[in-house]
Amino acid sequence: EETERLVREHPVVVFMKGSPEQPLCGFSNAVVQILRLHGVEDYRAHDVLQDPDLRQGIKNYSNWPTIPQVFLNGEFVGGCDILLQMHQNGDLVEELKKLGIRSALLDAEKDQEKK
């Protein structure tokens, strides 16, 4: 129940090692960087290293063995590899749009077209 509440408390939720300001593993850092590239700054991040119960609880909840884990609108998206793939193929822009979040990459593309 607590995990369910955390997953649904915000449109974008990340369970990671460390914090967005100080990620404590390369995969968590990559997720933070991908979100930053898209201009997503308003999200909830939970440091699983601070709470072993949360660390195991989120793995059980998502049925996914690794951290970080990303949830969009309460739905499990995946870890670093899946978020990277979504970033590369454009799916992340579309998923963010469904949440009412305009990817900063769209604005960057327009700036490039003007040049």
Side-chain angles (χ1 to χ4, degrees), residues 66-101:
T66 59
I67 303 293
Q69 294 189 13
V70 179
F71 289 80
L72 300 178
N73 235 15
E75 296 294 320
F76 176 60
V77 173
C80 175
D81 52 345
I82 292 171
L83 199 68
L84 179 59
Q85 184 179 27
M86 290 174 71
H87 164 68
Q88 290 170 334
N89 68 20
D91 288 349
L92 187 55
V93 169
E94 294 305 312
E95 289 302 315
L96 291 172
K97 190 185 294 181
K98 291 177 188 175
L99 303 178
I101 300 171

Side-chain angles (χ1 to χ4, degrees), residues 2-111:
E2 175 66 10
T3 304
E4 174 91 14
R5 186 186 65 74
L6 292 176
V7 163
R8 297 193 177 282
E9 75 180 348
H10 198 270
V12 181
V13 180
V14 179
F15 294 86
M16 61 183 292
K17 294 177 181 175
S19 67
E21 299 76 29
Q22 190 172 11
L24 296 178
C25 83
F27 298 113
S28 291
N29 185 48
V31 165
V32 168
Q33 296 304 323
I34 291 167
L35 291 174
R36 196 169 287 153
L37 270 174
H38 287 269
V40 180
E41 295 175 12
D42 182 21
Y43 62 95
R44 295 293 178 272
H46 299 281
D47 182 358
V48 299
L49 297 178
Q50 299 296 319
D51 185 348
D53 291 337
L54 177 61
R55 185 176 186 171
Q56 189 55 50
I58 196 61
K59 290 177 182 182
N60 294 344
Y61 180 83
S62 64
N63 199 26
W64 191 259
T66 59
I67 303 293
Q69 294 189 13
V70 179
F71 289 80
L72 300 178
N73 235 15
E75 296 294 320
F76 176 60
V77 173
C80 175
D81 52 345
I82 292 171
L83 199 68
L84 179 59
Q85 184 179 27
M86 290 174 71
H87 164 68
Q88 290 170 334
N89 68 20
D91 288 349
L92 187 55
V93 169
E94 294 305 312
E95 289 302 315
L96 291 172
K97 190 185 294 181
K98 291 177 188 175
L99 303 178
I101 300 171
R102 179 176 169 80
S103 172
L105 291 182
L106 295 174
D107 298 328
E109 287 173 9
K110 282 187 179 172
D111 290 345

